[in-house]
Amino acid sequence: MADQSTPLTLALQQLYRWEREAATDPVLHQPLEGAALRSYTWAQVADETRRMAAHLRALGREQGWESGARVAILSKNCAWWLMSDLAIWMAGYVSVPLYPTLAPETIRHILEHSDSRAIFVGKLDGWEAMQAGVPAGMSGISYPVSPASARQQYEDWDTICARTEPVLGEPLRGADELATLIYTSGTTGMPKGVMHSFGNFAWAVRAGLQRLPLHRHDRMLSYLPLAHVVERVLVEHCWLATGMQLYFAESLDTFTADLQRAQPTLFFSVPRLWTKFQQGVHAKLPPQRLQLLLRLPLVGWLVRRKILKALGLSKCRVAAGGAAPMPTALLQWFRQLGLPICEGYGMSENLAVSHITVPGQDQTGTVGIPYEGVETRVDPVSGELLMRSPALMLGYFKQPELSAEVLDAEGWLHTGDKAAVDERGCTRITGRVKDLFKTSKGKYVAPAPIEDRLGMHPAIEACAVVGANLAQPLGLLMLNPQAAAQRSDTTERAALEASLRAHLQAVNAHLDPHEQLGALVLLCTPWTVDNGLVTPTLKVRRPRVEELFGAQLEGWAEARQPLLWGD
């Protein structure tokens, strides 16, 4: 275990270390069109990073950029994303990652709010619509995997590297220097720019590796947005700290093949994808038959092995989940398969390093204990979880008044989450302080625990419990495509409805009378990033759900039917 008193090793120092010590080791594996795969060694990563850093320095001199100028990255995950980030830092600038699914208005807001001087435009599905959000005249650089129109508009990475001499030596940045602005995906309002220093990242990674030890021989698949704090810390900075190999996903259509190719030893995902894995298994092996087979000694071992191999997780020694609550039943299901999932808790404001369950210990139903060096307490009045650590943000960019709302004078971060701590010191997140709503009976309801139970039906892909000023809460359910298709078949529809009625009864049996759901509303329209119903990490945007369906809630409640079909 690392001594917390030892000096921190910063990101660029890690790059130079691997450049010296492991120059020929392949570390980045980038899929190209078709079945092609382009692998980068540490020497190649460092060389292209140095050349792009030199280009950015020249661009900054030519255009009169200030010290610490912001440079944006708009791309899906790829090798060039990571090298862009490193080049921005090496050149003396600050990176501003953008989610690759943002609307043009949000792109423009972030670029203008951050005063970004240039942008890397990389691998994107909807660039034709997005480009309206990039201010005219902004300098841009494209990747070899960028859309053709972006490559025509902006000079290509390879062309720049071919003509540019690399930065020499080992330029460093200070621990207190601003490294990046992480614009929150946010479940409410416009995104805020969370400021983090190089020292924040270095401390967060050291604390994380004490809980989840990783090494050079580990492998990860990078597929969740690198603009998100978890992927940034767990993938980018753990890669730099350990020297492990990274593989990138090509697309949703190739995700299974990408996972099989990577054979990750560490795999992190959000609850919605873990649920999809489970539903995929149940589609081929019904739950009752699976449970029967798992109880048979030799057969159970073979079934577990076959399922994990089919998922591409047979080599996985550390599985983790987070970004939203993990349903207890889902965690227990994967534990039965021999793949216990460590559930983590954190936020952009603390680099996602707050709590995580301890590998090898069954702390199901909690987010475990704090990382070493993290202080926590629960406010005795509001029940809100407060925490502080050396990984706390410097504040929100250009928004000191909002910073003061969440960081108090003693340095405590007010998380906005309600929590309880058990006798083991494990923390259970019980809901959002502001998500509580009051029914017309004057009773408060915390939706998160109900949603955990509700979302465990195999037909449900996402859900939200709403009901402010209604007599009883309602459950809004987004059905998965297979279940939605059953609506048009009389027999299949009847079976689905019977199953969901039984599920409603089972959920309500565990709730107090004022919490019990008056009805389930079945919705077939997907909840996507594009329509604003979920964030890029697939967390439900509750305000958007209430905005979109608010006018119908009272009518659904007055129908007094246990099941209703919505749009």
Side-chain angles (χ1 to χ4, degrees), residues 435-450:
D435 279 351
L436 293 176
F437 61 82
K438 187 186 288 187
T439 67
S440 61
K441 298 175 181 177
K443 296 284 190 177
Y444 281 101
V445 174
I450 305 173

Side-chain angles (χ1 to χ4, degrees), residues 226-278:
L226 273 163
H228 188 265
V229 65
V230 174
E231 195 84 352
R232 198 81 178 284
V233 175
L234 188 61
V235 172
E236 181 182 31
H237 285 269
C238 282
W239 164 65
L240 288 168
T242 65
M244 64 179 171
Q245 295 190 59
L246 291 185
Y247 291 76
F248 296 94
E250 171 63 14
S251 66
L252 283 176
D253 293 338
T254 65
F255 184 77
T256 301
D258 295 329
L259 200 52
Q260 293 287 352
R261 175 172 55 219
Q263 292 291 305
T265 58
L266 168 65
F267 185 75
F268 173 87
S269 192
V270 296
R272 189 159 160 185
L273 185 57
W274 285 117
T275 301
K276 280 181 172 288
F277 282 160
Q278 181 194 48

